[in-house]
Amino acid sequence: MDLSTWLAFFAASWAISISPGAGAVAAMSAGLNHGFRRGYITTLGLVLGIWTQIVVVGVGLGAVVATSATAFLVIKWAGVAYLVWLGIQQWRAPAVPLAAKTEEAGQASVRSMVFRAWVINALNPKGTVFLLAVVPQFLNLAQPLAPQYLVIAATLGFTDLVVMGGYTALAAKVLRALKSESHLRALNRVFGGLFVAAGTLLAFFKRAA
């Protein structure tokens, strides 16, 4: 990949990462529930989900998802159900100050936090279709594709680590000061509503004809 091509993709990667979506909601929710240091684990799962999508697109399965109505619908509705379930869980979460939540964070294993975040990005056909539309524009078909996909995966992984880390830190820092039960309950419902909203938007997403 030429340097000029990579720089263009690097700029696009920031826009991709910063744009609000289920990943950003998950990162902020992790900051709210676990604080920054432990909540940042969620970002690792989100990046693994992105890399899974890139592998899917790279081996050609992305084209199947984009063209097969059945495959697309199965993955889409699995993602919708998962996001709505996360929303309900967050909505019903107890109104506990962040400091207390951080003390109890050990109850959620690193594996479960990473897996939960991975599912959010991996089971998102919208992401697959998006990558199918964007990534080929930056590929040099006259050169080996595997190294180029590795560069793309590393670039997207880097920008997501930074951006999602920012979302996590912002939620942890700003929300740590909140101790009122009514405020905390409202925040849980806001994040729960955002997860459900992300699931609803995914439900209305249609593959291109």
Side-chain angles (χ1 to χ4, degrees):
M1 183 179 292
D2 296 334
L3 178 60
S4 59
T5 302
W6 177 79
L7 288 173
F9 182 75
F10 185 60
S13 297
W14 287 103
I16 294 169
S17 295
I18 293 172
S19 59
V25 176
M28 289 188 288
S29 178
L32 168 66
N33 290 314
H34 303 290
F36 175 74
R37 291 184 64 182
R38 189 168 183 84
Y40 192 63
I41 293 171
T42 291
T43 297
L44 302 180
L46 293 173
V47 170
L48 290 176
I50 291 175
W51 287 350
T52 300
Q53 292 273 16
I54 293 174
V55 170
V56 166
V57 170
V59 301
L61 294 178
V64 175
V65 173
T67 58
S68 169
T70 300
F72 181 87
L73 287 175
V74 167
I75 296 176
K76 182 179 85 166
W77 288 108
V80 169
Y82 188 68
L83 287 171
V84 170
W85 178 79
L86 288 178
I88 294 172
Q89 293 293 105
Q90 186 71 50
W91 184 284
R92 299 173 59 187
V96 180
L98 180 57
K101 288 183 179 181
T102 304
E103 293 175 0
E104 299 172 357
Q107 298 177 2
S109 68
V110 170
R111 180 179 298 180
S112 67
M113 292 175 67
V114 170
F115 178 75
R116 168 175 156 164
W118 173 81
V119 171
I120 289 174
N121 272 348
L123 288 183
N124 189 345
K126 182 177 180 180
T128 306
V129 174
F130 181 78
L131 288 175
L132 277 171
V134 172
V135 168
Q137 301 179 43
F138 298 93
L139 294 176
N140 183 349
L141 300 181
Q143 299 294 329
L145 294 180
Q148 296 180 70
Y149 276 113
L150 286 175
V151 170
I152 287 170
T155 303
L156 276 175
F158 171 76
T159 56
D160 231 43
L161 285 171
V162 175
V163 172
M164 295 305 152
Y167 280 132
T168 305
L170 176 65
K173 185 173 183 179
V174 173
L175 303 178
R176 181 180 292 275
L178 297 178
K179 302 182 184 299
S180 166
E181 184 175 331
S182 60
H183 289 165
L184 292 166
R185 185 180 296 109
L187 280 172
N188 283 334
R189 291 180 176 178
V190 166
F191 281 109
L194 288 174
F195 273 122
V196 173
T200 302
L201 289 174
L202 180 57
F204 282 101
F205 179 75
K206 298 180 180 179
R207 64 193 180 93

